[in-house]
Amino acid sequence: MSEHASTAPNAADVGAQPGPDHRRDYFRIFWVLLVLTIVEVAVSYMKIDKRIISAVMIALALSKASFVGLYYMHLKYEKRSLLWLAFLPLPLAGFYAVFLLLDAFNLLRGVPVPWVHH
């Protein structure tokens, strides 16, 4: 009787197909992220212009965020419209960052801005 019970399929398993095993992809992306992090640390110790370091760091951070979003958050397997919805705010964030940097630069130079009252 116990043999019969162990060979009978579970009601939840009937018609269920096993999903693809993504462990290999996860470990591959883990190693890519580890290498990118090591590159970030190495770049931070380089004796080059701060603007170049900043640009490289931003590029590395965006690439790492893309890997995490595409693979760990499963956006790679979604429809294209959802991918556009997820990545559309990136340029907007870039424009916002540029605006904030320009505003901070003007404040540091002492340029009066109309929205700050003294």
Side-chain angles (χ1 to χ4, degrees), residues 46-88:
M46 289 182 168
K47 303 293 182 199
I48 55 178
D49 189 18
K50 298 271 188 205
R51 291 175 289 194
I52 295 172
I53 289 177
S54 298
V56 170
M57 292 296 218
I58 289 171
L60 288 170
L62 286 175
S63 64
K64 286 170 60 175
S66 297
F67 277 116
V68 169
L70 287 173
Y71 289 96
Y72 292 123
M73 296 173 67
H74 306 287
L75 291 177
K76 179 182 179 189
Y77 308 106
E78 295 292 338
K79 294 180 183 178
R80 292 280 180 216
S81 59
L82 186 60
L83 283 175
W84 277 107
L85 184 66
F87 288 108
L88 185 64

Side-chain angles (χ1 to χ4, degrees), residues 24-36:
R24 188 174 187 193
D25 290 336
Y26 292 152
F27 281 112
R28 191 176 322 144
I29 298 304
F30 168 77
W31 291 113
V32 168
L33 292 172
L34 180 67
V35 168
L36 289 175

